[in-house]
Amino acid sequence: MIEFAGCNDCGPCGSQTVLDAELVCDQAPCNYVLVVEGAGSSEGSYSVTMTCDSIDDIEGTISCGEIVTGSTVGATNSMSSAGSHGGDHMYSFTILETSNVQFNSCQSDYDTYLRIFSAELTEELHSCDDCGDCGTRSVLDAALEAGNYILLVEGFAGVEGSYTVQ
């Protein structure tokens, strides 16, 4: 058995523990066991509440042949840990079999920066700024295995604007 996270007296509750853990499941199903025990030989009643972060900033989905449009002006910078400091939008998509995909933002009105992340947003798999034949509008080509992914639409260096991505 492998321990992924542990804690004794952590968090703001004194001797009642608040355990924060980031669990990444790369291949479903992933099963975990929570062990609740007292310090030393302590025993007693307990209550456990589990909360999970969710990806709330998804604008929608995109699939082959589909076009999405929007504006990042004033949007949340949902991926501040990666890339630009401006507003961005995210779209989920699914690949059913290993494929080459292309996301084309040539019709956008600003300097676009496109990125593909794992569905859990834990790994940036591909990115593109000024690639393709549209100047500062990006055309991202990527080979992807079957699975679920997130497309991040943002602007270079915090630039925001209206976009069209096919």
Side-chain angles (χ1 to χ4, degrees), residues 6-20 37-40 42:
C7 185
N8 182 28
D9 300 341
C10 300
C13 301
S15 62
Q16 282 71 40
T17 298
V18 176
L19 172 65
D20 287 319
E37 60 186 344
S42 296

Side-chain angles (χ1 to χ4, degrees), residues 93-105:
F93 65 98
T94 300
I95 300 296
L96 298 178
E97 59 187 45
T98 299
S99 304
N100 293 317
V101 298
Q102 181 179 82
F103 293 99
N104 180 324
S105 68

Side-chain angles (χ1 to χ4, degrees), residues 7-72:
C7 185
N8 182 28
D9 300 341
C10 300
C13 301
S15 62
Q16 282 71 40
T17 298
V18 176
L19 172 65
D20 287 319
E22 180 178 342
L23 302 174
V24 178
C25 180
D26 293 328
Q27 190 171 2
C30 293
N31 298 306
Y32 300 94
V33 174
L34 175 66
V35 176
V36 179
E37 60 186 344
S41 61
S42 296
E43 297 176 337
S45 299
Y46 63 90
S47 174
V48 174
T49 302
M50 179 176 170
T51 58
C52 302
D53 290 340
S54 62
I55 302 172
D56 294 330
D57 296 330
I58 301 292
E59 293 298 312
T61 61
I62 186 170
S63 36
C64 290
E66 193 172 57
I67 296 172
V68 294
T69 61
S71 174
T72 59

